[in-house]
Amino acid sequence: MDKSKQPFRKSKRSFRRRFPPIESGDQIDYRNMSLISRFISEQGKILSRRVNRLTLKQQRLITIAIKQARILSLLPLNNEKQFERAESIPRTAGPRTRNK
């Protein structure tokens, strides 16, 4: 049979249903550090919705909770490793010149 005349076939791949990252009983709150810490990268950045597999409403609530925890100093604003690396970079003290 010619390739152009073959009927269209769907692939029979099975997919594994992933568990939702937030269960129905979990409270999204700035005090729930075990939940919040799952959605922050090693650098202290908020992970995207695509990476977290959250709904839009859940992502908004997580973002607000993380920002509240940062304001109340429950979460560090930046990672200590990042802070140490920033100190070791030598800085030039001279004025900047514009390249023309």
Side-chain angles (χ1 to χ4, degrees), residues 12-87:
K12 300 263 181 173
R13 290 178 91 185
S14 64
F15 69 95
R16 191 181 80 190
R17 182 141 194 163
R18 294 187 178 173
F19 296 109
I22 298 178
E23 283 78 28
S24 59
D26 285 340
Q27 184 72 21
I28 300 175
D29 195 23
Y30 67 92
R31 291 172 283 178
N32 193 350
M33 297 306 296
S34 61
L35 178 71
I36 287 177
S37 61
R38 286 191 269 166
F39 303 107
I40 299 176
S41 70
E42 291 180 3
Q43 291 94 20
K45 296 180 181 178
I46 301 172
L47 294 174
S48 70
R49 187 175 151 227
R50 194 174 26 160
V51 173
N52 290 334
R53 300 186 316 267
L54 295 174
T55 64
L56 183 61
K57 188 174 184 180
Q58 288 174 335
Q59 181 70 23
R60 283 186 186 141
L61 291 172
I62 285 289
T63 303
I64 290 168
I66 290 171
K67 289 179 180 181
Q68 286 175 343
R70 284 179 182 162
I71 289 169
L72 295 173
S73 298
L74 299 175
L75 279 176
L77 296 176
N78 56 3
N79 197 2
E80 292 176 10
K81 292 177 185 176
Q82 187 181 22
F83 183 72
E84 290 173 6
R85 187 176 54 205
E87 283 184 3

